[in-house]
Amino acid sequence: AKLDAPANACKRIAELPLTDDRIFRALASRSSLFMESVYRDIPLAHMSSSARGRRIEELVRVVDQILNPGSCIANAIPGDHADGILCSQNHSEYDWRRDSLRIECKSSQLAWD
């Protein structure tokens, strides 16, 4: 992944599959009924963070096209992982190009215990 890139000082110390029981326990300990009640009627709040991020990216890209009708909007060009394997479209360094600009859409959801 990007954190393993030789250009930064990050070092992988372990690999843990998402199916590992320790991950389920950690996520379960972070559940907050108050947080769930706050976001109950908020659009997209019921989605996973990755699904919500993809949906928001789709919306922002359409808005970018509307706001820049004379620009060339194109998919990102996938790069290589640190191990030389080609990245998928979802793991590119950016989300799309507008003319010569590389656009990355970011989103987040506030969480608390």
Side-chain angles (χ1 to χ4, degrees):
K2 294 177 185 179
L3 293 177
D4 290 339
N8 64 43
C10 295
K11 179 181 176 186
R12 184 182 306 227
I13 58 172
E15 291 209 22
L16 192 62
L18 294 177
T19 56
D20 191 287
D21 189 51
R22 291 171 286 186
I23 291 181
F24 289 118
R25 287 195 309 264
L27 291 173
S29 71
R30 292 290 189 184
S31 178
S32 169
L33 295 176
F34 178 69
M35 189 178 89
E36 291 171 14
S37 69
V38 168
Y39 286 112
R40 181 176 300 128
D41 297 322
I42 304 299
L44 308 180
H46 67 284
M47 302 172 92
S48 69
S49 59
S50 60
R52 184 174 50 253
R54 284 190 303 272
R55 182 63 54 89
I56 291 171
E57 179 185 324
E58 291 169 6
L59 293 169
V60 171
R61 184 171 172 164
V62 169
V63 170
D64 191 26
Q65 290 173 326
I66 292 168
L67 293 176
N68 300 285
S71 293
C72 177
I73 307 289
N75 290 334
I77 300 170
D80 294 331
H81 288 287
D83 58 8
I85 297 173
L86 187 65
C87 293
S88 69
Q89 191 72 35
N90 291 336
H91 293 98
S92 300
E93 293 180 359
Y94 55 99
D95 294 323
W96 69 88
R97 293 182 70 89
R98 179 182 357 104
D99 299 325
S100 62
L101 298 174
R102 297 176 353 163
I103 310 296
E104 176 75 15
C105 179
K106 295 292 188 186
S107 65
S108 63
Q109 181 180 30
L110 181 65
W112 62 92
D113 293 331

